[in-house]
Amino acid sequence: MKNIKVVYWIFTGLLVVLMVFGSIPDILSAPDAIALFSHLGYPDYLLPFLGVAKILGVIAILVPGFPRIKEWAYAGFVFDLAGAMFSTISVGDPASGWLPFIIGFLLIAGSYIFHHKKMISVSLSSKKNLTT
């Protein structure tokens, strides 16, 4: 149980850092973020929306309980990264720029998988305590 929690928090902590640091330039409509969005062909008014959505997703993942909202947050992170990766591929950016996306997908998958393993082990241990 302890190992599962440690691995969960490693993946989740890194995912939170990635999403928070990715959301700050979006919320502030930083010039670099606007330039990237222009390069990808998106309007810059979408930036604050995406930044706030990422922050809300981070909150949903970190706050205990609310399993359905947590599932939606994980799905939103996957959609965000998949859309960003597809956009960079569509505009012809080189494959060397895919590494951050792959890392992001690995962090989401690790956090999601170990979240569920943690919930299963908590459920099993509470059932075990009830029978003893």
Side-chain angles (χ1 to χ4, degrees):
M1 171 72 170
K2 184 179 178 186
N3 290 341
I4 291 172
K5 280 186 178 181
V6 169
V7 174
Y8 165 75
W9 281 111
I10 289 170
F11 276 111
T12 303
L14 292 172
L15 175 62
V16 164
V17 168
L18 175 74
M19 289 300 164
V20 168
F21 283 139
S23 69
I24 292 170
D26 294 352
I27 292 170
L28 299 174
S29 293
D32 288 344
I34 292 173
L36 175 63
F37 254 49
S38 295
H39 169 68
L40 296 174
Y42 294 113
D44 57 350
Y45 62 79
L46 192 59
L47 279 167
F49 170 78
L50 291 175
V52 170
K54 288 178 195 176
I55 294 294
L56 292 174
V58 165
I59 292 168
I61 286 175
L62 291 178
V63 171
F66 308 102
R68 191 166 308 208
I69 294 174
K70 232 178 255 303
E71 293 286 327
W72 279 94
Y74 280 116
F77 288 156
V78 170
F79 296 148
D80 177 63
L81 280 180
M85 187 172 182
F86 180 80
S87 297
T88 61
I89 292 169
S90 295
V91 297
D93 287 351
S96 61
W98 297 357
L99 184 62
F101 300 117
I102 293 168
I103 291 169
F105 285 125
L106 290 174
L107 293 176
I108 294 168
S111 176
Y112 182 81
I113 289 167
F114 282 95
H115 166 68
H116 283 281
K117 285 185 178 197
K118 183 173 65 111
M119 293 299 101
I120 290 169
S121 65
V122 166
S123 175
L124 290 176
S125 67
S126 67
K127 284 180 184 178
K128 188 177 182 181
N129 290 338
L130 290 175
T131 59
T132 55

